[in-house]
Amino acid sequence: PISRGYPIFPIAQASELNTSASAVFHYPDKDSPCLLIKTGDAVPGGVGPGRDIVAYSAMCTHMGCLVAYDADTRTLKCPCHFSVFDPDQCGQMVCGQATENLPQIELRFDDSSGRISAVGIRGSLYGRVSNLL
Ligand code: FES
């Protein structure tokens, strides 16, 4: 079980997601915007029937600007200084000013209800000494 003090938040129904758009949610609190993404292919940390649903902090690890998901190139892009992160590889930094990967939100999929929940975070949210502050 994943606990470590993280809340468990239901965020979406897997059936409502599609590969052309991302959905914004906040986790573990209202000051931490995140993006829910359905990549279309099974990826590390992916959940759901296709193991293709992942989520990341939307705050760039460079200076905290909000990254956006580009479904065409399947990348997360920061508009401020053009850092690029890979949602297929656990938020790995591809290029740009950032020096750390984008924190990945740990998800859980419930088979019976089809619900996706956020249950934890891998990595440190921008600007925080603790993700739970
Ligand atoms: Fe994202 Fe600088 S804040 S690259």
Side-chain angles (χ1 to χ4, degrees):
I2 303 169
S3 60
R4 303 187 311 261
Y6 285 101
I8 297 175
F9 284 178
I11 48 179
Q13 290 295 123
S15 58
E16 291 169 353
L17 305 175
N18 65 63
T19 56
S20 60
S22 58
V24 177
F25 65 102
H26 292 78
Y27 184 84
D29 55 48
K30 65 176 175 45
D31 296 324
S32 173
C34 302
L35 292 174
L36 184 66
I37 295 164
K38 181 179 167 77
T39 67
D41 291 303
V43 292
V47 302
R51 307 204 68 78
D52 62 347
I53 298 169
V54 286
Y56 293 94
S57 169
M59 290 185 292
C60 179
T61 54
H62 178 224
M63 293 179 69
C65 288
L66 294 183
V67 301
Y69 180 56
D70 179 354
D72 290 338
T73 58
R74 260 165 74 164
T75 54
L76 290 149
K77 294 180 173 172
C78 180
C80 289
H81 317 97
F82 310 110
S83 285
V84 177
F85 303 90
D86 188 348
D88 294 354
Q89 297 294 334
C90 301
Q92 187 173 325
M93 207 204 73
V94 178
C95 64
Q97 298 290 317
T99 54
E100 285 185 53
N101 298 343
L102 213 51
Q104 185 166 19
I105 311 301
E106 295 177 53
L107 302 176
R108 183 184 296 163
F109 174 66
D110 180 62
D111 268 325
S112 54
S113 66
R115 188 182 303 124
I116 306 276
S117 298
V119 298
I121 303 176
R122 287 192 202 99
S124 298
L125 294 174
Y126 174 78
R128 299 194 187 198
V129 292
S130 159
N131 288 336
L132 293 175
L133 276 184

